[in-house]
Amino acid sequence: TQEVIINGRSEINIAMESDVLEMDEVVVVAYGVTKKSSFTGSASTVTAEKLETVPLPSFDKALQGNVAGLQLTSTSGQPGAATKIRIRGIGSINASTEPLYVIDGIPVVAGDFSGNTRTANSLAGLNPNDIASVSVLKDAAAASLYGSRAANGVILITTKQGKQGKTQITARAQYGITWKAQDPYRSLTGDEYNMMLKEGYINAGSSKEKEESTVDKKHPLGVNADWNDAVFRTGITQNVEVSANGGSEKTKFFVSGTYFDQKGAVIGSDMNRVSGRLNLKHSVSDKLSLGVNTNLSVVDQNTPPGGSNYLNPVFVADIIPGTVPVRNKDGKYNYDFDVLSGYNPVGIIEANIMNLDQHRSINSGYMQWEIIEDLRFKTTFGYDNLALDEFMWQNPNHGPAAKPGINGEGIMVNTKNEQVTSSNILSYTKTFLDNHNIDILAGFEVEKRNYYRGISKGAMYPSDKVKALDNAAKPTGVKGRNIVEKLAGYLTQIKYDYMGKYYASFSFRRDGSSKFGANNRFANFWSVGGTWRISEEAFFKNIDAINNLKLRASYGTNGNSGIKNYLALDLYKYGANYNGNPGSKQAQFANPNLTWEQNALFDLALEFRIFNFLSGTIDYYNRKTTDLLLKVPLSHVTGHSIMMQNIGEMENKGLEIELSSENIKTSDFKWFTDFNISFNKNRVTKLNNGEPIMTGSKIRKVGEDFETFYMQEWAGVDPANGNPLWYAADGSKTSDYSKAVKKLQGSASPDFYGGLTNTISYKGIDFSFKFSYQYGNKVYDNWAFLTESDGAISFNQNAKILDRWQKPGDITDVPKFVCGNSSNSNRMSTRYLHDASYLRLKSVSLGYNLPKKITTKAKIANARVYAQAYNLWTLTNYEGHDPEAADKGVMDYDLPNVTTVTFGLELKF
């Protein structure tokens, strides 16, 4: 829009100019941007302001609670750990369930590519403060242009670009502390453990006098070592970064450099990152422009093992009795004790090495040429290089490597993931007959990925002073593999609108992939969408209460290519050696019909703004997944037991509600609220011959949720004798575990989840806080059979065991404690299945901008001091370590989530 003074002229010449839109007016979509008002798809945008209020080493965790339909699970408190993200439910059984990540128009690899260490995040090298916005594409109209890779949604990351004008320099410094988030779990103290052992031996038939002397000798009273206190610590977080942006009319730049360092809340856990970014754009002429975006990063992580590994300090701290001191009287670490002898977690963490170095370079360059008016051509090239160097060393004195014939062990893993992407896009935009607008896009994209991993092992070290692998006297293993995959896609999109009221879109993509069989190497994906801006109709103009009303719908398909390579091929492998000579054998049968898992998505939404105060979206979707890859049994006479085939089907239905209100908006005081809630119902609709799939504590069954638990139902404790009880097939209670029947026992999927954010500012003060929540999901404690074993296992026990049955008539849910317990009370059942609903104060930010009269004197454009907190408070009935940390509803002793509080200073010049 332009305003021109007429000054009595009868002829006025006006040249149209490019309109620079604010981020709240546009949304970044596949291969470009579009106005929110004309968008026919479903997408949510998270701005830089929301990312900057969270003191985290990687941006992905900041998405939690900010995007309707996005469920994020933080499975580990390791600094920079990878997260689990699901968009509109889970859509696969054996293929990938993670979204596609695209940075500045270039698809990049994401997730955990580590081979030896745990929870490495390939996106940890990206500085969150370099990001301008994140768009989450959720339906077919938004994501189908990415075709075979978009079944699980698309996350588009746009980094900051330079702006014309005086160069602005921004410097930030942060310092803070981190500690274990709220954790109600408690182990027995030493004296409590001593008491329980004595009672357990007596219940097992031993005499009181004998067992009191025996127990007191091995587990003396008065020794109450706090192993959790020894394993957990207060970590330190430091971050320093400098960025500059500016430029002329023709050349604009953004450059940044960052140093981040965080010591985790668990011993042996830390992360260090050095990263740099350069984004450069140059207009050669009015018709031709060039640009490059480059991010270089080095991430150094030390990560303790997870799960039930005896080298995992979190796990071992729970199971070592409190009667065992951390150190001996001479100050040296104590390794001489009955339970887990040699596995002192504090000493082993100091003696061992579990290190990962990640080097990453993400680069993209483009050229855009306006061939003629309204017709543009853009070619883009991307290069993503991820290299991981991992080294694990186990000392020869204590732990698993302190055995004859091993005497120390070193493992080196080298991983390289190289991805090259190129796209060529032709776009045409035209307005005709005044009120008709058309936007046509056509293009071609190719992608090649080269993956390599090599593993080397050695043992028999001469000393614990030399740790390099070449000091190992005994090579124990060398292996490696190289994988190449390719993809080619043809794409087109047509968008049309009439009078700014009626919008229609159509997209089509044809992909070919090296992953699939010869009969199905190519597949087609498409979408159609439409929008009606009801509020622009003449009959709506006089309704002052409704400022905007928009109805949109879309339907289309996209695919999932996140499977292993070469599943379609007839493969042979070496290693079947005979009589000292090399040999090979068939590894798998060919499956030329192997193809993509495919989504068909329907989306219907109503967007509104009323009273110039409340904006919102109500979005219904139905996501049907077909051609699910399943492991189909084969006759063993073939030499194989299974083959992957496209057989299964699944459905996700849901409702998303997003609301944003401008509660108060004056020149001095502003208060905004954002709220979202998501409901998703998952259902497996087809399996091979309808046969259920059993996987541990879960069942995949037609008609049921994918994450349904299936196990015996706990019926409590017999008050007469303290024996465990379960429900039998006829509904009666039984103390015989073999007569207990398995039943469907709820799901790890929540009934609903979402977030609530409030942003308040008054003059120079800004304050924001965000809650995230989840309700109705269950978590199975996978290792409670050790820590709530009722005496069957000699490890330390959860303090819940103090509520055990002791005498006839006791009403309790904890059976009688018997050393060497053979009642099967610690077998899998709903005893260890818990409600993990929670409400968590996810982030808090408080800042103050110094008055201009002070900053002007100091020749500073702006100065802001601030404090930020993450995971500050949690409301939950879950009594385990963390209600949020269980991947797919199974608690597996990863490092628990942490609370982080930081203080910072930001200066702009």
Side-chain angles (χ1 to χ4, degrees), residues 624-691:
K624 293 184 178 181
T625 308
T626 58
D627 293 328
L628 285 176
L629 283 170
L630 298 178
K631 297 176 181 178
V632 178
L634 297 177
S635 170
H636 285 265
V637 299
T638 64
H640 302 279
S641 59
I642 60 167
M643 173 186 281
M644 297 294 285
Q645 295 184 15
N646 298 96
I647 289 180
E649 295 180 4
M650 188 183 294
E651 181 181 65
N652 287 275
K653 293 181 179 179
L655 183 71
E656 299 167 359
I657 300 174
E658 293 181 295
L659 299 173
S660 297
S661 63
E662 299 175 1
N663 307 320
I664 300 174
K665 189 176 182 181
T666 68
S667 58
D668 289 335
F669 186 72
K670 296 179 178 65
W671 173 24
F672 303 145
T673 299
D674 298 304
F675 170 79
N676 68 79
I677 186 170
S678 303
F679 304 85
N680 183 77
K681 181 64 177 177
N682 175 278
R683 189 167 62 99
V684 178
T685 56
K686 183 181 178 182
L687 294 172
N688 181 42
N689 296 322
E691 297 177 359

Side-chain angles (χ1 to χ4, degrees), residues 31-32 103-106 158-163 249-254 277-285 287-294 362-370 376-383 421-425:
Y31 305 97
I103 300 179
D104 292 326
I106 299 299
T158 303
T159 59
K160 295 177 180 177
Q161 302 293 317
K163 299 178 181 178
E249 182 181 353
K250 286 189 172 291
T251 305
K252 304 174 184 67
F253 68 90
F254 174 85
R277 168 166 292 278
L278 173 63
N279 291 349
L280 186 65
K281 179 180 180 180
H282 177 68
S283 297
V284 179
S285 67
K287 302 290 186 181
L288 182 66
S289 61
L290 310 171
V292 294
N293 302 295
T294 298
I362 303 176
N363 310 276
S364 63
Y366 70 88
M367 180 193 74
Q368 183 165 293
W369 173 35
E370 186 176 355
R376 295 173 302 279
F377 172 74
K378 184 176 182 179
T379 182
T380 304
F381 177 82
Y383 176 71
T421 307
S422 176
S423 65
N424 294 279
I425 306 295

Side-chain angles (χ1 to χ4, degrees), residues 30-31 91-92 95-102 107 139-140 142-154 419 421 445-448 485-491 507-516 520-527 556-564 594-601 623 625-627 629 646:
Y31 305 97
S92 183
S96 172
T97 58
E98 292 292 319
L100 171 69
Y101 289 83
V102 179
D139 75 332
S144 281
L145 273 183
Y146 288 108
S148 61
R149 299 162 293 178
N152 300 307
V154 183
Q419 185 164 296
T421 307
E445 183 177 50
V446 293
E447 182 179 289
K448 179 182 179 181
E485 61 184 67
K486 299 177 182 180
L487 180 141
Y490 307 86
L491 57 112
S507 70
F508 175 82
R509 177 164 179 140
R510 180 170 176 80
D511 272 349
S513 172
S514 61
K515 284 187 174 183
F516 299 103
N520 291 299
R521 186 142 292 171
F522 282 85
N524 301 323
F525 309 95
W526 56 272
S527 74
T557 63
N558 48 39
N560 189 347
S561 60
I563 66 171
K564 292 181 179 180
L594 190 75
T595 188
W596 280 276
E597 296 185 348
Q598 189 159 215
N599 272 4
L601 299 96
R623 172 188 178 193
T625 308
T626 58
D627 293 328
L629 283 170
N646 298 96

Side-chain angles (χ1 to χ4, degrees), residues 449 483-485 514-515 563-568 571 588:
R449 179 185 172 213
I483 294 171
V484 177
E485 61 184 67
S514 61
K515 284 187 174 183
I563 66 171
K564 292 181 179 180
N565 287 272
Y566 313 130
L567 287 177
L571 296 181
Q588 70 181 32

Side-chain angles (χ1 to χ4, degrees), residues 19 101 113 143 343 359 462 480 492 528 537 541 650 771 787 851 855:
D19 189 14
Y101 289 83
F113 283 84
Y343 284 89
H359 297 76
T492 185
V528 292
E537 296 288 357
K541 293 298 184 180
M650 188 183 294
F771 286 95
T787 59
T855 58

Side-chain angles (χ1 to χ4, degrees), residues 250-465:
K250 286 189 172 291
T251 305
K252 304 174 184 67
F253 68 90
F254 174 85
V255 60
S256 73
T258 306
Y259 172 81
F260 178 90
D261 183 76
Q262 187 175 76
K263 301 293 186 291
V266 177
I267 57 174
S269 164
D270 58 65
M271 169 186 163
N272 180 283
R273 176 184 66 216
V274 178
S275 65
R277 168 166 292 278
L278 173 63
N279 291 349
L280 186 65
K281 179 180 180 180
H282 177 68
S283 297
V284 179
S285 67
D286 293 339
K287 302 290 186 181
L288 182 66
S289 61
L290 310 171
V292 294
N293 302 295
T294 298
N295 187 83
L296 304 175
S297 63
V298 178
V299 177
D300 182 28
Q301 283 182 301
N302 290 297
T303 307
S308 61
N309 192 321
Y310 286 170
L311 299 178
N312 175 2
V314 178
F315 174 63
V316 176
D318 276 357
I319 62 177
I320 291 184
T323 56
V324 177
V326 179
R327 294 177 183 268
N328 296 318
K329 293 180 179 179
D330 59 5
K332 295 181 179 180
Y333 288 116
N334 176 23
Y335 289 100
D336 187 17
F337 46 88
D338 287 344
V339 180
L340 292 178
S341 181
Y343 284 89
N344 183 318
V346 185
I348 282 187
I349 282 293
E350 289 188 10
N352 290 356
I353 296 174
M354 184 70 77
N355 178 257
L356 177 147
D357 284 331
Q358 173 181 298
H359 297 76
R360 188 164 197 184
S361 171
I362 303 176
N363 310 276
S364 63
Y366 70 88
M367 180 193 74
Q368 183 165 293
W369 173 35
E370 186 176 355
I371 303 172
I372 57 175
E373 185 178 358
D374 302 324
L375 181 65
R376 295 173 302 279
F377 172 74
K378 184 176 182 179
T379 182
T380 304
F381 177 82
Y383 176 71
D384 180 10
N385 187 2
L386 173 66
L388 301 178
D389 297 315
E390 302 171 74
F391 181 63
M392 184 180 80
W393 187 80
Q394 297 182 17
N395 77 89
N397 304 313
H398 306 285
K403 298 178 181 178
I406 299 180
N407 200 54
E409 182 181 51
I411 302 175
M412 184 176 290
V413 183
N414 303 106
T415 304
K416 184 175 181 180
N417 198 98
E418 188 179 54
Q419 185 164 296
V420 178
T421 307
S422 176
S423 65
N424 294 279
I425 306 295
L426 194 65
S427 59
Y428 178 75
T429 304
K430 185 68 175 178
T431 299
F432 57 97
L433 299 178
D434 295 331
N435 294 316
H436 299 269
N437 302 284
I438 192 167
D439 193 335
I440 302 174
L441 177 150
F444 174 67
E445 183 177 50
V446 293
E447 182 179 289
K448 179 182 179 181
R449 179 185 172 213
N450 193 339
Y451 172 88
Y452 164 81
R453 171 167 288 169
I455 303 175
S456 305
K457 299 181 180 180
M460 297 298 292
Y461 278 77
S463 166
D464 61 2
K465 306 299 181 185

